[in-house]
Amino acid sequence: MLDLTKLARQMQGLSQHLSQEAAASRQRLELAQQHFQKAIECQNEVIALQEKWRDRILFASATPLEPLNTCIDIPIPPKVHTVIATDGSQIAPNHHEIAYCYLLNIGRVVLHYGQNRYPIMDSLPEVFYRPEDLYMSRQWGIKTEDWMSYRRTASEATVLAELAKGLGSRGAGGRGAGGAGEEKFNSQFPSPQSPVPSTQSPIPTLAMVDGSLIYWFLEQLPTDARDRILPVILEAWQQMRDVQIPLMGYLSASRNVEGVNFLRLLACPHPAPDCVSYCPNQLEKVPCKVFEPLRDTALWTTQLKPGQRGPMWRSNNRILEMYGDQTIYFCYVHVGTEIARIEIPSWVAENTDMLNQALGLMLAQVQKGYGYPVAIAEAHNQAVVRGGDRSRFFALLEKQMIKAGLKNVGTSYKEARKRGSIA
């Protein structure tokens, strides 16, 4: 139980610290703006320097593909369009519960606008209890909880691809509301055997996910473990590419610094940005870290107006070398309430019409969701496992275990005592 009286004594010191930090942040932002203006004048030279010394630079910096002072108004989306999204949640395994297992719940949403059709808003649960599901990751030194999170990411991509294929397979027909057409559409899920159509969906459609498309955590995994996650994701993206439905990752309150790190190349006091020779220990204070901990979003707040996007960037994260021809580009967009980081595969970024249409649909989603894409928010609401859901899940599991003839079914004494107090 939180003692607010004792906590209140610490608030004054916290507020003073935040005031000092706000003043220091303003100074860092002014310094970053100065370097930003210099980078605009010599952008090509800085990019050439980045490319030449890329193997010697020890910090992650993205490459701008358009002029740094790019500010493009996002076009108005068509009234008739569709947005799909997925998000996931889970129940982690717990030795104190009645059975050691975990559950993944993938929420999926299909929202039709201007089409007089019912939305799809539901979730696909899956329980994992076999030894190969629970203990396989330990051979690579990966905790079961972490492996569960990685599998959830792959499942989110797979379900999103199934939604995209279902929309693409409708072709030019089946646009009516309800009826046999809608039943045929719903019957395709969650079947993974649906064929990949070659025709383009006639209705503008956007596939959205919450968070980054750059799965940096995979870089640390052993090859065998990574090969069970990344190919599944890339195959799902390829299926969306086949039906020409653009994929977009939406990052709210992004903490990324890839753009600001590009300015560090100008702030380097050495003859060349050779971190390996001059600054091998990046954990220490190095001369070019004059903006830390300034984020990209803070810089672009000063550059963009509501409804505008900044330049397109190519991320140089090492894990992207394994993405093949689906490397990730990104840009920052002023969505009105904040600066959002938008990530897209290369096949979306290189198609100007598809990119502009996707950004327009994204901005409309933010406006409909009062500051956050409504499709992603609803997918989260469908996926989240609340306390009552968790209790019902284990109650159903207990019933099945008793039905199977198992005895002494119940939680540990520790778990039972934690759920109630006798004091």
mmCIF file with all atom_site columns, all heavy atoms in Angstrom, residues 65-89:
data_model
loop_
_atom_site.group_PDB
_atom_site.id
_atom_site.type_symbol
_atom_site.label_atom_id
_atom_site.label_alt_id
_atom_site.label_comp_id
_atom_site.label_asym_id
_atom_site.label_entity_id
_atom_site.label_seq_id
_atom_site.pdbx_PDB_ins_code
_atom_site.Cartn_x
_atom_site.Cartn_y
_atom_site.Cartn_z
_atom_site.occupancy
_atom_site.B_iso_or_equiv
_atom_site.pdbx_formal_charge
_atom_site.auth_seq_id
_atom_site.auth_comp_id
_atom_site.auth_asym_id
_atom_site.auth_atom_id
_atom_site.pdbx_PDB_model_num
ATOM 1   N N   . LEU A 1 65 ? 17.210  10.693  -46.829 1.00 0.00 ? 65 LEU A N   1
ATOM 2   C CA  . LEU A 1 65 ? 17.064  10.445  -48.262 1.00 0.00 ? 65 LEU A CA  1
ATOM 3   C C   . LEU A 1 65 ? 16.464  11.641  -48.990 1.00 0.00 ? 65 LEU A C   1
ATOM 4   O O   . LEU A 1 65 ? 16.345  11.623  -50.213 1.00 0.00 ? 65 LEU A O   1
ATOM 5   C CB  . LEU A 1 65 ? 16.181  9.212   -48.480 1.00 0.00 ? 65 LEU A CB  1
ATOM 6   C CG  . LEU A 1 65 ? 16.667  7.930   -47.797 1.00 0.00 ? 65 LEU A CG  1
ATOM 7   C CD1 . LEU A 1 65 ? 15.685  6.806   -48.037 1.00 0.00 ? 65 LEU A CD1 1
ATOM 8   C CD2 . LEU A 1 65 ? 18.050  7.545   -48.285 1.00 0.00 ? 65 LEU A CD2 1
ATOM 9   N N   . GLU A 1 66 ? 16.092  12.661  -48.241 1.00 0.00 ? 66 GLU A N   1
ATOM 10  C CA  . GLU A 1 66 ? 15.562  13.900  -48.787 1.00 0.00 ? 66 GLU A CA  1
ATOM 11  C C   . GLU A 1 66 ? 16.248  15.056  -48.063 1.00 0.00 ? 66 GLU A C   1
ATOM 12  O O   . GLU A 1 66 ? 16.883  14.839  -47.019 1.00 0.00 ? 66 GLU A O   1
ATOM 13  C CB  . GLU A 1 66 ? 14.043  13.970  -48.593 1.00 0.00 ? 66 GLU A CB  1
ATOM 14  C CG  . GLU A 1 66 ? 13.262  12.896  -49.335 1.00 0.00 ? 66 GLU A CG  1
ATOM 15  C CD  . GLU A 1 66 ? 11.781  12.928  -49.006 1.00 0.00 ? 66 GLU A CD  1
ATOM 16  O OE1 . GLU A 1 66 ? 11.440  12.906  -47.815 1.00 0.00 ? 66 GLU A OE1 1
ATOM 17  O OE2 . GLU A 1 66 ? 10.976  12.976  -49.954 1.00 0.00 ? 66 GLU A OE2 1
ATOM 18  N N   . PRO A 1 67 ? 16.164  16.269  -48.591 1.00 0.00 ? 67 PRO A N   1
ATOM 19  C CA  . PRO A 1 67 ? 16.748  17.411  -47.880 1.00 0.00 ? 67 PRO A CA  1
ATOM 20  C C   . PRO A 1 67 ? 16.243  17.500  -46.448 1.00 0.00 ? 67 PRO A C   1
ATOM 21  O O   . PRO A 1 67 ? 15.070  17.261  -46.172 1.00 0.00 ? 67 PRO A O   1
ATOM 22  C CB  . PRO A 1 67 ? 16.286  18.613  -48.722 1.00 0.00 ? 67 PRO A CB  1
ATOM 23  C CG  . PRO A 1 67 ? 16.093  18.053  -50.095 1.00 0.00 ? 67 PRO A CG  1
ATOM 24  C CD  . PRO A 1 67 ? 15.594  16.649  -49.901 1.00 0.00 ? 67 PRO A CD  1
ATOM 25  N N   . LEU A 1 68 ? 17.141  17.858  -45.535 1.00 0.00 ? 68 LEU A N   1
ATOM 26  C CA  . LEU A 1 68 ? 16.783  17.878  -44.123 1.00 0.00 ? 68 LEU A CA  1
ATOM 27  C C   . LEU A 1 68 ? 15.669  18.876  -43.808 1.00 0.00 ? 68 LEU A C   1
ATOM 28  O O   . LEU A 1 68 ? 14.933  18.699  -42.827 1.00 0.00 ? 68 LEU A O   1
ATOM 29  C CB  . LEU A 1 68 ? 18.019  18.206  -43.273 1.00 0.00 ? 68 LEU A CB  1
ATOM 30  C CG  . LEU A 1 68 ? 19.050  17.074  -43.140 1.00 0.00 ? 68 LEU A CG  1
ATOM 31  C CD1 . LEU A 1 68 ? 20.311  17.598  -42.464 1.00 0.00 ? 68 LEU A CD1 1
ATOM 32  C CD2 . LEU A 1 68 ? 18.464  15.913  -42.351 1.00 0.00 ? 68 LEU A CD2 1
ATOM 33  N N   . ASN A 1 69 ? 15.552  19.929  -44.605 1.00 0.00 ? 69 ASN A N   1
ATOM 34  C CA  . ASN A 1 69 ? 14.514  20.922  -44.348 1.00 0.00 ? 69 ASN A CA  1
ATOM 35  C C   . ASN A 1 69 ? 13.205  20.602  -45.061 1.00 0.00 ? 69 ASN A C   1
ATOM 36  O O   . ASN A 1 69 ? 12.347  21.468  -45.236 1.00 0.00 ? 69 ASN A O   1
ATOM 37  C CB  . ASN A 1 69 ? 15.004  22.315  -44.756 1.00 0.00 ? 69 ASN A CB  1
ATOM 38  C CG  . ASN A 1 69 ? 15.457  22.363  -46.206 1.00 0.00 ? 69 ASN A CG  1
ATOM 39  O OD1 . ASN A 1 69 ? 15.509  21.334  -46.888 1.00 0.00 ? 69 ASN A OD1 1
ATOM 40  N ND2 . ASN A 1 69 ? 15.793  23.553  -46.678 1.00 0.00 ? 69 ASN A ND2 1
ATOM 41  N N   . THR A 1 70 ? 13.032  19.336  -45.463 1.00 0.00 ? 70 THR A N   1
ATOM 42  C CA  . THR A 1 70 ? 11.789  18.906  -46.113 1.00 0.00 ? 70 THR A CA  1
ATOM 43  C C   . THR A 1 70 ? 10.612  19.001  -45.150 1.00 0.00 ? 70 THR A C   1
ATOM 44  O O   . THR A 1 70 ? 10.662  18.478  -44.032 1.00 0.00 ? 70 THR A O   1
ATOM 45  C CB  . THR A 1 70 ? 11.917  17.467  -46.629 1.00 0.00 ? 70 THR A CB  1
ATOM 46  O OG1 . THR A 1 70 ? 12.930  17.407  -47.632 1.00 0.00 ? 70 THR A OG1 1
ATOM 47  C CG2 . THR A 1 70 ? 10.607  16.972  -47.210 1.00 0.00 ? 70 THR A CG2 1
ATOM 48  N N   . CYS A 1 71 ? 9.565   19.672  -45.574 1.00 0.00 ? 71 CYS A N   1
ATOM 49  C CA  . CYS A 1 71 ? 8.308   19.744  -44.820 1.00 0.00 ? 71 CYS A CA  1
ATOM 50  C C   . CYS A 1 71 ? 7.172   19.607  -45.835 1.00 0.00 ? 71 CYS A C   1
ATOM 51  O O   . CYS A 1 71 ? 6.852   20.569  -46.549 1.00 0.00 ? 71 CYS A O   1
ATOM 52  C CB  . CYS A 1 71 ? 8.182   21.053  -44.048 1.00 0.00 ? 71 CYS A CB  1
ATOM 53  S SG  . CYS A 1 71 ? 9.432   21.283  -42.763 1.00 0.00 ? 71 CYS A SG  1
ATOM 54  N N   . ILE A 1 72 ? 6.571   18.444  -45.907 1.00 0.00 ? 72 ILE A N   1
ATOM 55  C CA  . ILE A 1 72 ? 5.577   18.140  -46.928 1.00 0.00 ? 72 ILE A CA  1
ATOM 56  C C   . ILE A 1 72 ? 4.204   17.972  -46.275 1.00 0.00 ? 72 ILE A C   1
ATOM 57  O O   . ILE A 1 72 ? 4.061   17.239  -45.292 1.00 0.00 ? 72 ILE A O   1
ATOM 58  C CB  . ILE A 1 72 ? 5.945   16.866  -47.705 1.00 0.00 ? 72 ILE A CB  1
ATOM 59  C CG1 . ILE A 1 72 ? 7.291   17.058  -48.414 1.00 0.00 ? 72 ILE A CG1 1
ATOM 60  C CG2 . ILE A 1 72 ? 4.861   16.497  -48.703 1.00 0.00 ? 72 ILE A CG2 1
ATOM 61  C CD1 . ILE A 1 72 ? 7.770   15.828  -49.159 1.00 0.00 ? 72 ILE A CD1 1
ATOM 62  N N   . ASP A 1 73 ? 3.210   18.666  -46.826 1.00 0.00 ? 73 ASP A N   1
ATOM 63  C CA  . ASP A 1 73 ? 1.839   18.527  -46.331 1.00 0.00 ? 73 ASP A CA  1
ATOM 64  C C   . ASP A 1 73 ? 1.288   17.161  -46.731 1.00 0.00 ? 73 ASP A C   1
ATOM 65  O O   . ASP A 1 73 ? 1.393   16.750  -47.893 1.00 0.00 ? 73 ASP A O   1
ATOM 66  C CB  . ASP A 1 73 ? 0.954   19.625  -46.909 1.00 0.00 ? 73 ASP A CB  1
ATOM 67  C CG  . ASP A 1 73 ? 1.323   21.007  -46.384 1.00 0.00 ? 73 ASP A CG  1
ATOM 68  O OD1 . ASP A 1 73 ? 1.756   21.088  -45.221 1.00 0.00 ? 73 ASP A OD1 1
ATOM 69  O OD2 . ASP A 1 73 ? 1.191   21.993  -47.135 1.00 0.00 ? 73 ASP A OD2 1
ATOM 70  N N   . ILE A 1 74 ? 0.703   16.477  -45.785 1.00 0.00 ? 74 ILE A N   1
ATOM 71  C CA  . ILE A 1 74 ? 0.131   15.160  -46.044 1.00 0.00 ? 74 ILE A CA  1
ATOM 72  C C   . ILE A 1 74 ? -1.227  15.323  -46.722 1.00 0.00 ? 74 ILE A C   1
ATOM 73  O O   . ILE A 1 74 ? -2.061  16.112  -46.263 1.00 0.00 ? 74 ILE A O   1
ATOM 74  C CB  . ILE A 1 74 ? 0.002   14.368  -44.732 1.00 0.00 ? 74 ILE A CB  1
ATOM 75  C CG1 . ILE A 1 74 ? 1.394   14.086  -44.164 1.00 0.00 ? 74 ILE A CG1 1
ATOM 76  C CG2 . ILE A 1 74 ? -0.774  13.074  -44.940 1.00 0.00 ? 74 ILE A CG2 1
ATOM 77  C CD1 . ILE A 1 74 ? 1.384   13.396  -42.826 1.00 0.00 ? 74 ILE A CD1 1
ATOM 78  N N   . PRO A 1 75 ? -1.468  14.599  -47.828 1.00 0.00 ? 75 PRO A N   1
ATOM 79  C CA  . PRO A 1 75 ? -2.724  14.777  -48.564 1.00 0.00 ? 75 PRO A CA  1
ATOM 80  C C   . PRO A 1 75 ? -3.930  14.255  -47.787 1.00 0.00 ? 75 PRO A C   1
ATOM 81  O O   . PRO A 1 75 ? -3.811  13.393  -46.909 1.00 0.00 ? 75 PRO A O   1
ATOM 82  C CB  . PRO A 1 75 ? -2.490  13.965  -49.848 1.00 0.00 ? 75 PRO A CB  1
ATOM 83  C CG  . PRO A 1 75 ? -1.468  12.938  -49.464 1.00 0.00 ? 75 PRO A CG  1
ATOM 84  C CD  . PRO A 1 75 ? -0.575  13.619  -48.470 1.00 0.00 ? 75 PRO A CD  1
ATOM 85  N N   . ILE A 1 76 ? -5.092  14.774  -48.150 1.00 0.00 ? 76 ILE A N   1
ATOM 86  C CA  . ILE A 1 76 ? -6.348  14.334  -47.545 1.00 0.00 ? 76 ILE A CA  1
ATOM 87  C C   . ILE A 1 76 ? -6.681  12.940  -48.057 1.00 0.00 ? 76 ILE A C   1
ATOM 88  O O   . ILE A 1 76 ? -6.614  12.673  -49.260 1.00 0.00 ? 76 ILE A O   1
ATOM 89  C CB  . ILE A 1 76 ? -7.479  15.311  -47.883 1.00 0.00 ? 76 ILE A CB  1
ATOM 90  C CG1 . ILE A 1 76 ? -7.153  16.695  -47.312 1.00 0.00 ? 76 ILE A CG1 1
ATOM 91  C CG2 . ILE A 1 76 ? -8.818  14.813  -47.335 1.00 0.00 ? 76 ILE A CG2 1
ATOM 92  C CD1 . ILE A 1 76 ? -8.159  17.767  -47.699 1.00 0.00 ? 76 ILE A CD1 1
ATOM 93  N N   . PRO A 1 77 ? -7.043  12.004  -47.193 1.00 0.00 ? 77 PRO A N   1
ATOM 94  C CA  . PRO A 1 77 ? -7.318  10.628  -47.635 1.00 0.00 ? 77 PRO A CA  1
ATOM 95  C C   . PRO A 1 77 ? -8.676  10.531  -48.318 1.00 0.00 ? 77 PRO A C   1
ATOM 96  O O   . PRO A 1 77 ? -9.553  11.382  -48.108 1.00 0.00 ? 77 PRO A O   1
ATOM 97  C CB  . PRO A 1 77 ? -7.304  9.832   -46.328 1.00 0.00 ? 77 PRO A CB  1
ATOM 98  C CG  . PRO A 1 77 ? -7.767  10.822  -45.304 1.00 0.00 ? 77 PRO A CG  1
ATOM 99  C CD  . PRO A 1 77 ? -7.186  12.152  -45.731 1.00 0.00 ? 77 PRO A CD  1
ATOM 100 N N   . PRO A 1 78 ? -8.891  9.503   -49.130 1.00 0.00 ? 78 PRO A N   1
ATOM 101 C CA  . PRO A 1 78 ? -10.213 9.293   -49.736 1.00 0.00 ? 78 PRO A CA  1
ATOM 102 C C   . PRO A 1 78 ? -11.238 8.917   -48.672 1.00 0.00 ? 78 PRO A C   1
ATOM 103 O O   . PRO A 1 78 ? -10.902 8.339   -47.644 1.00 0.00 ? 78 PRO A O   1
ATOM 104 C CB  . PRO A 1 78 ? -9.969  8.136   -50.710 1.00 0.00 ? 78 PRO A CB  1
ATOM 105 C CG  . PRO A 1 78 ? -8.765  7.429   -50.172 1.00 0.00 ? 78 PRO A CG  1
ATOM 106 C CD  . PRO A 1 78 ? -7.912  8.491   -49.548 1.00 0.00 ? 78 PRO A CD  1
ATOM 107 N N   . LYS A 1 79 ? -12.492 9.244   -48.942 1.00 0.00 ? 79 LYS A N   1
ATOM 108 C CA  . LYS A 1 79 ? -13.543 8.951   -47.968 1.00 0.00 ? 79 LYS A CA  1
ATOM 109 C C   . LYS A 1 79 ? -13.791 7.450   -47.837 1.00 0.00 ? 79 LYS A C   1
ATOM 110 O O   . LYS A 1 79 ? -14.126 6.964   -46.757 1.00 0.00 ? 79 LYS A O   1
ATOM 111 C CB  . LYS A 1 79 ? -14.836 9.670   -48.372 1.00 0.00 ? 79 LYS A CB  1
ATOM 112 C CG  . LYS A 1 79 ? -14.749 11.190  -48.281 1.00 0.00 ? 79 LYS A CG  1
ATOM 113 C CD  . LYS A 1 79 ? -16.071 11.841  -48.622 1.00 0.00 ? 79 LYS A CD  1
ATOM 114 C CE  . LYS A 1 79 ? -15.985 13.355  -48.504 1.00 0.00 ? 79 LYS A CE  1
ATOM 115 N NZ  . LYS A 1 79 ? -17.273 14.014  -48.836 1.00 0.00 ? 79 LYS A NZ  1
ATOM 116 N N   . VAL A 1 80 ? -13.642 6.733   -48.930 1.00 0.00 ? 80 VAL A N   1
ATOM 117 C CA  . VAL A 1 80 ? -13.850 5.288   -48.911 1.00 0.00 ? 80 VAL A CA  1
ATOM 118 C C   . VAL A 1 80 ? -12.496 4.608   -48.734 1.00 0.00 ? 80 VAL A C   1
ATOM 119 O O   . VAL A 1 80 ? -11.626 4.692   -49.604 1.00 0.00 ? 80 VAL A O   1
ATOM 120 C CB  . VAL A 1 80 ? -14.521 4.805   -50.213 1.00 0.00 ? 80 VAL A CB  1
ATOM 121 C CG1 . VAL A 1 80 ? -14.661 3.293   -50.216 1.00 0.00 ? 80 VAL A CG1 1
ATOM 122 C CG2 . VAL A 1 80 ? -15.880 5.476   -50.377 1.00 0.00 ? 80 VAL A CG2 1
ATOM 123 N N   . HIS A 1 81 ? -12.299 3.956   -47.602 1.00 0.00 ? 81 HIS A N   1
ATOM 124 C CA  . HIS A 1 81 ? -11.042 3.264   -47.349 1.00 0.00 ? 81 HIS A CA  1
ATOM 125 C C   . HIS A 1 81 ? -11.223 2.262   -46.209 1.00 0.00 ? 81 HIS A C   1
ATOM 126 O O   . HIS A 1 81 ? -12.279 2.222   -45.562 1.00 0.00 ? 81 HIS A O   1
ATOM 127 C CB  . HIS A 1 81 ? -9.920  4.244   -47.015 1.00 0.00 ? 81 HIS A CB  1
ATOM 128 C CG  . HIS A 1 81 ? -10.165 5.043   -45.771 1.00 0.00 ? 81 HIS A CG  1
ATOM 129 N ND1 . HIS A 1 81 ? -10.835 6.255   -45.761 1.00 0.00 ? 81 HIS A ND1 1
ATOM 130 C CD2 . HIS A 1 81 ? -9.825  4.816   -44.472 1.00 0.00 ? 81 HIS A CD2 1
ATOM 131 C CE1 . HIS A 1 81 ? -10.889 6.737   -44.551 1.00 0.00 ? 81 HIS A CE1 1
ATOM 132 N NE2 . HIS A 1 81 ? -10.286 5.873   -43.736 1.00 0.00 ? 81 HIS A NE2 1
ATOM 133 N N   . THR A 1 82 ? -10.190 1.459   -45.999 1.00 0.00 ? 82 THR A N   1
ATOM 134 C CA  . THR A 1 82 ? -10.211 0.431   -44.951 1.00 0.00 ? 82 THR A CA  1
ATOM 135 C C   . THR A 1 82 ? -8.884  0.472   -44.196 1.00 0.00 ? 82 THR A C   1
ATOM 136 O O   . THR A 1 82 ? -7.828  0.671   -44.803 1.00 0.00 ? 82 THR A O   1
ATOM 137 C CB  . THR A 1 82 ? -10.419 -0.972  -45.551 1.00 0.00 ? 82 THR A CB  1
ATOM 138 O OG1 . THR A 1 82 ? -11.694 -1.024  -46.197 1.00 0.00 ? 82 THR A OG1 1
ATOM 139 C CG2 . THR A 1 82 ? -10.366 -2.048  -44.473 1.00 0.00 ? 82 THR A CG2 1
ATOM 140 N N   . VAL A 1 83 ? -8.942  0.273   -42.898 1.00 0.00 ? 83 VAL A N   1
ATOM 141 C CA  . VAL A 1 83 ? -7.741  0.220   -42.059 1.00 0.00 ? 83 VAL A CA  1
ATOM 142 C C   . VAL A 1 83 ? -7.789  -1.058  -41.234 1.00 0.00 ? 83 VAL A C   1
ATOM 143 O O   . VAL A 1 83 ? -8.817  -1.376  -40.625 1.00 0.00 ? 83 VAL A O   1
ATOM 144 C CB  . VAL A 1 83 ? -7.634  1.440   -41.138 1.00 0.00 ? 83 VAL A CB  1
ATOM 145 C CG1 . VAL A 1 83 ? -6.373  1.352   -40.278 1.00 0.00 ? 83 VAL A CG1 1
ATOM 146 C CG2 . VAL A 1 83 ? -7.624  2.737   -41.941 1.00 0.00 ? 83 VAL A CG2 1
ATOM 147 N N   . ILE A 1 84 ? -6.677  -1.804  -41.239 1.00 0.00 ? 84 ILE A N   1
ATOM 148 C CA  . ILE A 1 84 ? -6.585  -3.024  -40.442 1.00 0.00 ? 84 ILE A CA  1
ATOM 149 C C   . ILE A 1 84 ? -5.423  -2.883  -39.460 1.00 0.00 ? 84 ILE A C   1
ATOM 150 O O   . ILE A 1 84 ? -4.457  -2.164  -39.723 1.00 0.00 ? 84 ILE A O   1
ATOM 151 C CB  . ILE A 1 84 ? -6.387  -4.268  -41.336 1.00 0.00 ? 84 ILE A CB  1
ATOM 152 C CG1 . ILE A 1 84 ? -5.083  -4.173  -42.119 1.00 0.00 ? 84 ILE A CG1 1
ATOM 153 C CG2 . ILE A 1 84 ? -7.559  -4.433  -42.282 1.00 0.00 ? 84 ILE A CG2 1
ATOM 154 C CD1 . ILE A 1 84 ? -4.789  -5.405  -42.968 1.00 0.00 ? 84 ILE A CD1 1
ATOM 155 N N   . ALA A 1 85 ? -5.541  -3.552  -38.336 1.00 0.00 ? 85 ALA A N   1
ATOM 156 C CA  . ALA A 1 85 ? -4.497  -3.469  -37.314 1.00 0.00 ? 85 ALA A CA  1
ATOM 157 C C   . ALA A 1 85 ? -4.547  -4.708  -36.436 1.00 0.00 ? 85 ALA A C   1
ATOM 158 O O   . ALA A 1 85 ? -5.599  -5.349  -36.293 1.00 0.00 ? 85 ALA A O   1
ATOM 159 C CB  . ALA A 1 85 ? -4.672  -2.210  -36.458 1.00 0.00 ? 85 ALA A CB  1
ATOM 160 N N   . THR A 1 86 ? -3.396  -5.044  -35.858 1.00 0.00 ? 86 THR A N   1
ATOM 161 C CA  . THR A 1 86 ? -3.308  -6.126  -34.880 1.00 0.00 ? 86 THR A CA  1
ATOM 162 C C   . THR A 1 86 ? -2.446  -5.676  -33.710 1.00 0.00 ? 86 THR A C   1
ATOM 163 O O   . THR A 1 86 ? -1.598  -4.799  -33.846 1.00 0.00 ? 86 THR A O   1
ATOM 164 C CB  . THR A 1 86 ? -2.697  -7.410  -35.480 1.00 0.00 ? 86 THR A CB  1
ATOM 165 O OG1 . THR A 1 86 ? -1.392  -7.118  -36.004 1.00 0.00 ? 86 THR A OG1 1
ATOM 166 C CG2 . THR A 1 86 ? -3.573  -7.981  -36.575 1.00 0.00 ? 86 THR A CG2 1
ATOM 167 N N   . ASP A 1 87 ? -2.695  -6.269  -32.578 1.00 0.00 ? 87 ASP A N   1
ATOM 168 C CA  . ASP A 1 87 ? -1.878  -6.048  -31.383 1.00 0.00 ? 87 ASP A CA  1
ATOM 169 C C   . ASP A 1 87 ? -1.995  -7.295  -30.521 1.00 0.00 ? 87 ASP A C   1
ATOM 170 O O   . ASP A 1 87 ? -2.960  -8.063  -30.664 1.00 0.00 ? 87 ASP A O   1
ATOM 171 C CB  . ASP A 1 87 ? -2.344  -4.804  -30.623 1.00 0.00 ? 87 ASP A CB  1
ATOM 172 C CG  . ASP A 1 87 ? -1.289  -4.302  -29.642 1.00 0.00 ? 87 ASP A CG  1
ATOM 173 O OD1 . ASP A 1 87 ? -0.139  -4.775  -29.722 1.00 0.00 ? 87 ASP A OD1 1
ATOM 174 O OD2 . ASP A 1 87 ? -1.604  -3.436  -28.806 1.00 0.00 ? 87 ASP A OD2 1
ATOM 175 N N   . GLY A 1 88 ? -1.032  -7.500  -29.656 1.00 0.00 ? 88 GLY A N   1
ATOM 176 C CA  . GLY A 1 88 ? -1.019  -8.731  -28.871 1.00 0.00 ? 88 GLY A CA  1
ATOM 177 C C   . GLY A 1 88 ? -0.867  -8.498  -27.386 1.00 0.00 ? 88 GLY A C   1
ATOM 178 O O   . GLY A 1 88 ? -0.384  -7.460  -26.941 1.00 0.00 ? 88 GLY A O   1
ATOM 179 N N   . SER A 1 89 ? -1.305  -9.489  -26.622 1.00 0.00 ? 89 SER A N   1
ATOM 180 C CA  . SER A 1 89 ? -1.141  -9.500  -25.178 1.00 0.00 ? 89 SER A CA  1
ATOM 181 C C   . SER A 1 89 ? -0.906  -10.947 -24.759 1.00 0.00 ? 89 SER A C   1
ATOM 182 O O   . SER A 1 89 ? -0.970  -11.858 -25.587 1.00 0.00 ? 89 SER A O   1
ATOM 183 C CB  . SER A 1 89 ? -2.375  -8.920  -24.486 1.00 0.00 ? 89 SER A CB  1
ATOM 184 O OG  . SER A 1 89 ? -2.173  -8.842  -23.087 1.00 0.00 ? 89 SER A OG  1
#
